[in-house]
Amino acid sequence: MNVTFYTSLAYSNPLCVFWQTKVELVGYVIIIFLSITWCRIKWNRRLIDRFAAKIPGPPSYPLIGSLLEFRGTSQDLVAKMIKLNEQYGPEPCKIWLGSSLALYVMKPEDIQIILNNSNALDKGKFFKFFSGAFGEGLSTAAVPKWKLHRRIISPFFNNSHISTFLSVFNEKSVALICNLQKELNNTESFDIYGYVFTISVDGVCETSLEYNHDVQDNEKTEFLDSMTKFTELVTMRITMPWLYPDFIFNIYGKFTGLNQIYEKLFKFPNKIIKEKKFQYAQRKKTNFSSLNLTRNEKEQRKVLLDVLLELNDKGTNLSNKDLRDEVLSVIFGGMEIISITICFCILMLAIHEDVQDKVYDEIYQIMGDGDRIVTIEDTIKFVYMEQCIKETLRLYPVAPMILRELRDDVKISNYIIPKGTTVNISLIGTHHLQELYPNPWEYNPDNFDPEKVAKLHKNSFIAFGDGLRNCIGEKYAMLLMKVLLSTFLRNYSVHTKCKMSDIKLKIELMMKSVHGYQVMIRPRDSKPTFKVKCNEKNG
């Protein structure tokens, strides 16, 4: 028997003919469905396609868009972003993220229009990638929920309330000095990031959760490890459009243990929330609710969770998940932005010792050689220090981009951007525009001299965003950074063998140094100065 016989036999069998016809019919239906879907997508985004045709940008390919241009390591990704900014800036350029158009915007005038437009409040589909961990916290929530929660949480970040945390920030600064003592006078450099990160996490956790145990506590360590693994997964997902659909990413997540990561990530905040709710209920039973506090008790600092629970008691109706989402957003944003910025700033001062001397002289003139701790009035007077922090954030913005998805057409200087476009505000692009900052890759705190700043557009520097959805924690972060840096520099001088050209950048959700922050420290002996006294409690 040959193939021809079997084929004729199959066609003579009515059952085979039936199934073959059914398979063909299903195939035709799938092809027609995909064709209609594709035509519908093309029709719905016809205005975006017409707009994109006018904008320069790197090559794009079906399904994957421009992402071939950005393949490689997290270090390669930063290098290619910088190259894109230099090649096309300061005018807008485009990249296709899969089938989604992203418009890169760098000019301060255009940035101001976007960030202050009520149709540009949505952070877009890519921020939904974070929702597995952060749910609908301030950083990821859709506009209606964000407006409500922003109004609820704003009082926690006002100046008068933040000032109540000064004792915590001073305490953590002392702990940093004591922890660093083991590195004194070493001839080899060390990465200061681990020390700063430990203290930042403790400070943020204590002011948001009133949790002040050692960072080596198993549950907190597990929490931080899970946060790191989650951010690695999300960073990878952004560069792989085939993982954009949730159902595909969920399947992928099962093979990478994503559910276990979530479980460990939520365990720590869930436990603290449960304990705080119990404590709050006990206070109410004994007539120590917020309505019955004495004046002194009212003046005591309230952590973020206290504020949210009190608002719940007044009818806000935040669920346990809402509480966890907001706490996680604040902890992650706070610990990352503060830790990385302080480390970059210390490294810059180590490379530029003349600048370090000027910062120290300012601290000495304000605080003298007494043993007092930093006050709010001191931090206001740390003007040159603030210039150094801002110059660090200009050079190395921790969050190198701001994303907005337009709910309606928005007109900028030379274009009308159509509804549905994702606008990528490139901080690393704007902060390195030659016309704004001469020698943009050099460290120069004088860029933020008040006279120079007055001549620049206000959105020439946007490390904390601007407009309607700016960073709510800017003043909190600046206060903690000033207290930590001033205490550090009163006790130690910092040095390094690293040069500016040695610094390589990578993106792991936030922008970091590839090789860490390698420094050496020495006791500060040039003038009589305040010295921290360490004991078992703080060292």
Side-chain angles (χ1 to χ4, degrees):
M1 293 186 183
N2 54 29
V3 174
T4 306
F5 174 79
Y6 283 115
T7 304
S8 61
L9 182 65
Y11 275 103
S12 65
N13 187 327
L15 187 60
C16 288
V17 172
F18 169 77
W19 282 108
Q20 183 179 2
T21 304
K22 194 168 184 178
V23 169
E24 288 177 354
L25 183 61
V26 170
Y28 290 139
V29 169
I30 291 173
I31 291 170
I32 292 169
F33 173 76
L34 291 175
S35 300
I36 292 172
T37 301
W38 176 248
C39 290
R40 186 176 179 183
I41 291 171
K42 292 294 287 182
W43 174 258
N44 287 340
R45 73 176 207 188
R46 67 194 184 281
L47 297 178
I48 291 178
D49 287 341
R50 286 179 202 162
F51 170 73
K54 305 173 188 175
I55 309 293
S60 174
Y61 307 95
L63 298 178
I64 61 171
S66 309
L67 290 174
L68 274 180
E69 300 292 312
F70 295 92
R71 68 188 184 279
T73 65
S74 58
Q75 182 179 346
D76 295 332
L77 182 58
V78 178
K80 289 172 181 178
M81 284 173 57
I82 293 171
K83 183 180 177 182
L84 182 78
N85 295 333
E86 292 174 346
Q87 182 177 355
Y88 296 102
E91 295 301 321
C93 66
K94 70 182 176 192
I95 63 168
W96 286 97
L97 301 171
S99 60
S100 299
L101 175 66
L103 184 74
Y104 264 64
V105 173
M106 286 169 261
K107 287 170 66 174
E109 297 81 4
D110 293 339
I111 291 170
Q112 182 177 25
I113 292 169
I114 298 296
L115 293 182
N116 288 279
N117 195 300
S118 59
N119 290 309
L121 290 174
D122 199 316
K123 292 196 173 182
K125 60 177 71 69
F126 294 101
F127 265 81
K128 293 177 183 174
F129 294 169
F130 305 104
S131 61
F134 305 130
E136 292 188 291
L138 275 182
S139 59
T140 54
V143 174
K145 192 163 191 176
W146 164 78
K147 286 182 177 178
L148 173 64
H149 285 212
R150 173 91 178 204
R151 193 162 56 249
I152 290 170
I153 293 174
S154 286
F156 176 80
F157 288 102
N158 66 35
N159 285 336
S160 60
H161 190 256
I162 290 172
S163 66
T164 66
F165 295 129
L166 195 61
S167 60
V168 175
F169 296 164
N170 272 300
E171 179 188 320
K172 300 309 172 188
S173 300
V174 169
L176 174 64
I177 301 309
C178 296
N179 292 343
L180 284 168
Q181 281 190 335
K182 62 175 73 75
E183 303 290 353
L184 269 175
N185 298 317
N186 284 348
T187 55
E188 294 299 318
S189 60
F190 67 98
D191 186 356
I192 200 169
Y193 180 78
Y195 292 98
V196 174
F197 181 74
T198 295
I199 294 305
S200 299
V201 170
D202 277 354
V204 173
C205 283
E206 186 161 346
T207 55
S208 58
L209 293 169
E210 203 174 36
Y211 186 87
N212 56 8
H213 290 186
D214 193 332
V215 77
Q216 276 74 40
D217 177 87
N218 288 336
E219 288 180 353
K220 196 193 289 187
T221 303
E222 187 177 67
F223 164 74
L224 296 173
D225 288 343
S226 302
M227 186 78 79
T228 300
K229 290 174 183 175
F230 173 76
T231 56
E232 288 172 355
L233 278 174
V234 172
T235 304
M236 179 192 64
R237 185 181 183 186
I238 290 172
T239 61
M240 297 181 177
W242 52 90
L243 292 178
Y244 286 4
D246 287 338
F247 77 94
I248 294 178
F249 184 69
N250 289 338
I251 293 171
Y252 176 80
K254 288 183 179 179
F255 292 102
T256 54
L258 185 60
N259 288 337
Q260 287 75 22
I261 292 174
Y262 286 148
E263 186 178 325
K264 292 176 181 178
L265 183 65
F266 298 151
K267 182 179 176 182
F268 171 68
N270 282 344
K271 176 186 175 184
I272 305 303
I273 289 168
K274 183 178 179 181
E275 290 175 0
K276 291 292 288 182
K277 288 184 82 170
F278 175 77
Q279 292 169 10
Y280 186 78
Q282 291 299 109
R283 281 183 20 226
K284 281 182 66 177
K285 283 181 183 177
T286 53
N287 293 323
F288 282 98
S289 71
S290 59
L291 298 176
N292 296 298
L293 290 175
T294 67
R295 181 177 177 183
N296 287 337
E297 288 165 329
K298 283 182 179 178
E299 290 172 353
Q300 290 177 354
R301 68 173 183 264
K302 294 176 185 175
V303 302
L304 175 61
L305 202 48
D306 285 331
V307 173
L308 296 177
L309 289 174
E310 287 188 8
L311 288 167
N312 247 7
D313 202 41
K314 297 174 183 177
T316 306
N317 295 323
L318 297 172
S319 67
N320 279 353
K321 183 179 180 303
D322 290 331
L323 296 173
R324 187 187 70 205
D325 291 347
E326 296 303 348
V327 166
L328 281 176
S329 292
V330 169
I331 289 176
F332 177 74
M335 72 186 191
E336 287 283 4
I337 290 172
I338 292 166
S339 301
I340 297 169
T341 303
I342 288 176
C343 289
F344 267 127
C345 193
I346 288 174
L347 183 59
M348 291 299 99
L349 296 178
I351 294 173
H352 305 87
E353 294 196 20
D354 57 329
V355 176
Q356 181 184 165
D357 290 341
K358 286 182 70 174
V359 178
Y360 176 74
D361 287 343
E362 179 182 70
I363 296 168
Y364 185 81
Q365 288 168 11
I366 293 166
M367 301 194 68
D369 58 1
D371 60 357
R372 68 182 181 82
I373 58 176
V374 182
T375 67
I376 290 292
E377 291 72 22
D378 295 330
T379 62
I380 294 170
K381 296 174 185 175
F382 292 153
V383 176
Y384 189 69
M385 182 195 295
E386 184 168 323
Q387 289 179 213
C388 293
I389 294 171
K390 287 183 175 179
E391 175 66 356
T392 301
L393 283 165
R394 182 194 68 79
L395 264 179
Y396 309 113
V398 179
M401 63 190 72
I402 299 171
L403 298 180
R404 293 289 187 269
E405 187 171 305
L406 303 187
R407 294 295 183 94
D408 204 346
D409 296 355
V410 174
K411 186 181 185 304
I412 57 174
S413 52
N414 296 323
Y415 300 100
I416 297 176
I417 312 173
K419 171 185 176 180
T421 304
T422 295
V423 177
N424 184 335
I425 295 170
S426 176
L427 277 69
I428 198 168
T430 301
H431 288 182
H432 293 86
L433 288 175
Q434 184 83 32
E435 51 267 44
L436 298 177
Y437 302 102
N439 304 313
W441 285 99
E442 291 182 6
Y443 182 75
N444 179 17
D446 288 339
N447 281 324
F448 289 90
D449 179 271
E451 289 186 9
K452 289 187 179 180
V453 171
K455 296 175 183 177
L456 291 174
H457 190 285
K458 71 166 191 166
N459 287 130
S460 300
F461 175 73
I462 45 171
F464 293 98
D466 189 37
L468 301 170
R469 200 164 183 173
N470 67 333
C471 175
I472 197 172
E474 176 181 358
K475 293 176 181 176
Y476 174 101
M478 286 298 292
L479 180 61
L480 178 50
M481 288 190 286
K482 284 183 175 182
V483 174
L484 283 174
L485 281 170
S486 60
T487 307
F488 173 80
L489 290 171
R490 289 172 81 192
N491 286 269
Y492 302 130
S493 61
V494 58
H495 313 271
T496 187
K497 298 174 184 176
C498 178
K499 299 185 288 293
M500 292 295 287
S501 58
D502 297 328
I503 298 173
K504 308 299 178 187
L505 303 172
K506 63 180 179 179
I507 285 187
E508 290 175 353
L509 213 54
M510 302 291 187
M511 194 163 73
K512 304 176 180 179
S513 169
V514 171
H515 304 300
Y517 311 86
Q518 300 292 331
V519 297
M520 297 168 286
I521 58 173
R522 303 283 182 269
R524 178 72 71 176
D525 294 326
S526 59
K527 292 189 180 95
T529 188
F530 166 68
K531 290 289 189 297
V532 163
K533 294 174 182 170
C534 300
N535 52 41
E536 286 187 15
K537 181 180 177 183
N538 56 30

